[in-house]
Amino acid sequence: MDQREFDKKVKYFHENMPKQCPILYSMKIIGSKWKIPVMWYLMLNDGQHYNELKRSIGSITNTMLTKSLRELEADGLLKRVSKGTVPPSVTYHLTDTGKNLIYTMGDLFEWGKGLMEKEENPK
């Protein structure tokens, strides 16, 4: 992005800023360490069981995964689907609101990938 595009975007943000900053509001909802990885792995493979998500994410504790799933469900970003069987079979799915983050997640993916490539291949 060149300086002109940057300045244009900043001007847009200034002109359209509501009373409460949307970034702060968004970070309140998805800003914990584990919520974005949970959503990312649900985007990659919708309908995962708890243990599948835990394996995908790696170093997350049971407590933090449970907390993140509950909070994301309460905020309307994912839904928990129970088949009502014994033993219980529960899967997690992104809601339409959660799916709307795909573009933002894609931008974060590309931004992070670019930084990683710069680090691996310094000039």
Side-chain angles (χ1 to χ4, degrees):
M1 173 182 300
D2 65 20
Q3 187 63 42
R4 199 177 124 190
E5 284 181 76
F6 178 80
D7 292 341
K8 184 178 177 183
K9 199 71 161 165
V10 169
K11 182 180 181 204
Y12 169 81
F13 293 144
H14 276 292
E15 291 172 353
N16 293 283
M17 181 64 84
K19 287 183 181 182
Q20 181 182 3
C21 177
I23 298 291
L24 293 176
Y25 182 78
S26 299
M27 293 307 292
K28 184 177 98 177
I29 295 170
I30 62 167
S32 77
K33 178 178 180 180
W34 296 109
K35 288 181 182 179
I36 290 176
V38 166
M39 294 185 67
W40 179 254
Y41 285 104
L42 285 174
M43 280 183 200
L44 295 177
N45 188 16
D46 189 41
Q48 291 189 59
H49 293 275
Y50 181 93
N51 285 328
E52 292 173 313
L53 267 173
K54 187 161 175 21
R55 275 191 300 275
S56 296
I57 297 169
S59 60
I60 190 170
T61 64
N62 286 327
T63 302
M64 288 310 299
L65 179 55
T66 299
K67 182 177 189 284
S68 296
L69 289 167
R70 285 182 180 157
E71 289 174 1
L72 287 166
E73 183 179 15
D75 288 326
L77 298 175
L78 65 80
K79 63 184 172 192
R80 180 182 186 272
V81 177
S82 175
K83 293 184 180 169
T85 60
V86 177
S89 179
V90 174
T91 54
Y92 295 91
H93 305 265
L94 292 177
T95 62
D96 287 343
T97 303
K99 289 176 183 177
N100 284 336
L101 284 169
I102 189 76
Y103 301 105
T104 303
M105 296 285 225
D107 288 343
L108 279 173
F109 176 87
E110 293 300 332
W111 183 73
K113 184 178 169 202
L115 290 176
M116 289 168 58
E117 288 169 355
K118 277 185 183 178
E119 189 176 295
E120 290 170 2
N121 304 308
K123 291 180 180 178

